[in-house]
């Protein structure tokens, strides 16, 4: 079972992980643009910063023996995240649009730093 601090840290990890995945997908597309030399340094910095935060969150979760087992898309609106803990395993349901919005906010806040 996850206590409130662990759940908050796990949620932060989910958002960071999704941000890294989105940036990696976008990177492949931006590499092919004519103006890629302009955009790639910005994307590199953003990806490095968020990847480091994601790694740190994952490390903190690992100390408590918490890890993601799998993502399962329920439908176009919801996804379940299966989480292994030291005690019981937990399934957390996330709204896809809410995650997307939080990832966008995270990326914008990092970009403005």
């Amino acid at each position: 079972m996850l206590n409130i601090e662990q759940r908050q840290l796990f949620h932060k990890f989910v958002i960071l992980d999704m941000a890294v995945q989105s940036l990696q997908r976008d990177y492949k597309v931006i590499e092919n643009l004519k103006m890629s030399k302009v955009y790639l340094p910005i994307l590199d910095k953003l990806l490095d910063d968020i990847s480091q935060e994601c790694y740190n969150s994952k490390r903190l979760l690992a100390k408590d023996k918490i890890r993601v087992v799998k993502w399962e898309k329920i439908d176009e609106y919801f996804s379940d995240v299966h989480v292994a803990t030291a005690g019981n395993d937990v399934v957390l349901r996330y709204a896809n649009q809410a995650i997307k919005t939080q990832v966008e906010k995270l990326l914008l806040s990092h970009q403005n730093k």
Side-chain angles (χ1 to χ4, degrees):
M1 206 62 173
L2 298 172
N3 65 34
I4 190 76
E5 293 87 18
Q6 291 170 329
R7 190 175 287 254
Q8 289 173 341
L9 179 60
F10 185 80
H11 180 71
K12 178 181 176 184
F13 168 73
V14 166
I15 301 301
L16 289 166
D17 188 51
M18 293 301 291
V20 168
Q21 289 179 34
S22 294
L23 288 172
Q24 288 171 338
R25 259 186 261 116
D26 291 351
Y27 197 93
K28 292 174 185 169
V29 174
I30 290 174
E31 281 179 319
N32 297 321
L33 297 177
K34 289 181 182 177
M35 298 291 288
S36 64
K37 290 180 182 176
V38 174
Y39 300 114
L40 287 178
I42 297 166
L43 203 57
D44 281 333
K45 173 90 171 86
L46 200 53
L47 191 55
D48 286 345
D49 292 347
I50 292 176
S51 294
Q52 186 62 44
E53 267 191 70
C54 185
Y55 172 78
N56 291 339
S57 296
K58 188 174 185 176
R59 194 174 45 81
L60 289 173
L61 289 168
K63 283 184 180 178
D64 289 339
K65 297 182 171 102
I66 300 169
R67 64 183 171 82
V68 174
V69 175
K70 72 175 180 175
W71 277 85
E72 183 179 11
K73 186 172 181 176
I74 302 302
D75 56 27
E76 63 182 289
Y77 303 109
F78 295 99
S79 296
D80 283 348
V81 181
H82 297 259
V83 184
T85 66
N88 298 331
D89 290 356
V90 180
V91 177
L92 302 174
R93 181 157 289 178
Y94 284 95
N96 296 336
Q97 188 60 43
I99 293 291
K100 180 180 179 246
T101 302
Q102 291 180 4
V103 167
E104 287 175 355
K105 285 181 184 177
L106 173 77
L107 293 174
L108 287 171
S109 72
H110 270 57
Q111 183 183 7
N112 293 332
K113 285 184 179 179

